[in-house]
Amino acid sequence: MNQEIKKISVVMCTYNGAKYLAEQLDSILAQSYSNIEIIVVDDCSTDNTFEVLENYYQSKDSRIQVFQNSKNLGFVQNFSKAISLATGDYIALADQDDIWKPYKLEKFANEIQNHLLIYSDAILIAPDGQSLNRELTRPNDHLVSGHCNQAFLFKNCVSGNTLMFKRELLQYILPIPNVSFHDIWIAFIASSLGTIAYTEEALVYYRRHESQVTNTQKEKKKGLSYLLQTPMRKIEKSRQKTNEIQRILNDFLAYRAFAEKINDQTLLSILNPLINHYRNYNNIFINYSLRKILVKHRENLFAICPSNKRLRYAKKYSRGQKFNIAATLLK
């Protein structure tokens, strides 16, 4: 393949990312695939991110285009805007603080072939750039390929900073609806309309920060003090759970709207019971009719998970709030 034929748009969104921005942009500018444009949209940073972009990089390389929002959009809608500005045949997403291997885009361009999207795993690095000697997804979970849209209903293995997709997907991806994460939405759309693929080699160095520790990990660290939480903490925990259920419901509603558009009856047969389940979540102990469906489709729904955990996940996601309350009281 002649790498000059196809243009790749690298789309980056920034917010208070000045600290590592130079290292990430340098790794993009150094790509062996040269026919690229770099679209950067800053989401009202309060540090000097925009000054770094505008004063240094825009003058350093004409392939960089810099935009700044008039108001903060949040990362999902900022990516929606940034993607809409891309003019390339392929669109690759970038975070503001990672490092790309120099041949990442060339490898993607050579291997995407008839697939709608290609991605890789990522190598985790510490804030100082030192390798943590493990990957983002493997070996604990699996990467998935093919026509695998069901796999993205509960889990994700396609991180935004590791993916590239074909321009023809734009009409289906944009505008990004009210979903939790733009990368899962893109992977879901691509694997619904066609197939996706991944490279065996991890092509991104993914920088981990202390602020990225999950809420679950933080809760585990609290130990006994967390179990003896005050009434105010209980109220806050309840509010967070309500918000989480609404977030999940919003995701499923967006997926269903697209499944209806493409008339994916198998997916609809899963999503409709899931939506009903989460709309009545607080009043449910165990939803046995939903459990039957999840167990039936568990190999596809939980393909990202290890095979020995798929039945467990099917049971988990058929439980309601009444089960969770009872389980908590018994601990």
Side-chain angles (χ1 to χ4, degrees):
M1 172 183 171
N2 184 344
Q3 69 177 39
E4 299 302 326
I5 295 177
K6 300 289 187 180
K7 179 180 178 181
I8 298 179
S9 297
V10 178
V11 173
M12 178 189 294
C13 290
T14 58
Y15 180 74
N16 290 351
K19 185 173 183 179
Y20 303 110
L21 186 54
E23 198 169 10
Q24 168 70 105
L25 279 168
D26 282 343
S27 74
I28 298 172
L29 292 170
Q31 289 292 300
S32 58
Y33 195 106
S34 60
N35 189 16
I36 65 173
E37 67 174 3
I38 304 172
I39 307 290
V40 187
V41 181
D42 183 69
D43 202 22
C44 302
S45 291
T46 56
D47 65 357
N48 66 324
T49 295
F50 189 70
E51 287 73 19
V52 171
L53 291 169
E54 190 175 47
N55 298 333
Y56 181 63
Y57 283 100
Q58 198 170 24
S59 60
K60 179 179 179 181
D61 196 306
S62 61
R63 294 176 296 176
I64 299 179
Q65 301 176 55
V66 178
F67 304 87
Q68 187 174 45
N69 295 329
S70 58
K71 64 178 182 179
N72 184 273
L73 300 179
F75 71 94
V76 173
Q77 291 309 311
N78 196 26
F79 265 108
S80 186
K81 175 182 176 178
I83 291 169
S84 73
L85 299 172
T87 64
D89 302 288
Y90 301 134
I91 293 127
L93 305 187
D95 284 350
Q96 63 186 1
D97 51 5
D98 301 325
I99 305 170
W100 288 8
K101 290 185 177 180
Y103 47 85
K104 172 188 172 180
L105 294 180
E106 182 178 8
K107 192 170 184 64
F108 274 1
N110 287 335
E111 296 189 19
I112 192 168
Q113 299 178 1
N114 293 324
H115 304 290
L116 291 177
L117 179 150
I118 190 167
Y119 71 105
S120 76
D121 210 335
I123 301 165
L124 299 181
I125 59 173
D128 63 1
Q130 294 297 308
S131 175
L132 297 177
N133 296 315
R134 65 181 190 272
E135 294 185 353
L136 180 63
T137 299
R138 299 174 296 188
N140 294 329
D141 285 325
H142 302 304
L143 302 181
V144 296
S145 61
H147 181 69
C148 52
N149 56 358
Q150 293 181 29
F152 298 105
L153 297 187
F154 295 101
K155 295 274 284 182
N156 185 39
C157 60
V158 182
S159 182
N161 56 344
T162 70
L163 68 82
M164 184 180 82
F165 61 90
K166 291 182 177 177
R167 184 173 187 82
E168 63 195 78
L169 281 179
L170 287 182
Q171 61 180 307
Y172 304 102
I173 291 170
L174 300 178
I176 298 177
N178 182 25
V179 294
S180 304
F181 299 101
H182 59 284
D183 46 11
I184 305 178
W185 174 250
I186 294 170
F188 169 77
I189 297 296
S191 60
S192 295
L193 294 172
T195 58
I196 68 174
Y198 61 86
T199 61
E200 286 296 334
E201 180 182 1
L203 298 173
V204 174
Y205 294 99
Y206 184 100
R207 200 182 305 267
R208 273 291 172 93
H209 307 280
E210 178 61 29
S211 61
Q212 292 173 319
V213 175
T214 65
N215 289 332
T216 300
Q217 289 172 321
K218 289 179 180 179
E219 289 171 2
K220 287 180 179 178
K221 290 180 181 179
K222 291 178 182 177
L224 186 60
S225 65
Y226 177 71
L227 297 176
L228 301 176
Q229 56 187 297
T230 64
M232 286 304 296
R233 281 184 179 170
K234 289 182 179 180
I235 292 171
E236 176 63 17
K237 180 72 174 178
S238 176
R239 185 189 66 80
Q240 291 175 356
K241 185 65 176 179
T242 300
N243 291 342
E244 175 71 6
I245 295 304
Q246 187 58 52
R247 180 192 67 78
I248 293 170
L249 185 56
N250 289 341
D251 289 347
F252 287 154
L253 288 169
Y255 299 153
R256 184 175 70 176
F258 188 75
E260 289 173 342
K261 184 182 297 186
I262 64 173
N263 195 29
D264 188 331
Q265 291 300 316
T266 301
L267 193 60
L268 288 170
S269 72
I270 299 168
L271 282 168
N272 284 326
L274 276 170
I275 289 168
N276 290 333
H277 176 77
Y278 281 98
R279 278 177 170 162
N280 298 284
Y281 185 80
N282 290 334
N283 300 316
I284 293 173
F285 191 81
I286 296 176
N287 187 334
Y288 287 101
S289 60
L290 176 61
R291 175 170 292 185
K292 184 177 180 180
I293 294 169
L294 299 185
V295 169
K296 176 183 176 181
H297 296 282
R298 67 184 183 276
E299 295 304 316
N300 293 325
L301 286 170
F302 306 109
I304 296 171
C305 310
S307 57
N308 63 347
K309 294 183 178 181
R310 291 169 189 168
L311 181 59
R312 185 191 314 171
Y313 277 110
K315 293 179 178 179
K316 172 184 176 181
Y317 287 108
S318 60
R319 297 167 184 160
Q321 181 66 353
K322 287 186 175 181
F323 179 95
N324 296 332
I325 292 172
T328 300
L329 291 174
L330 291 173
K331 287 182 179 179

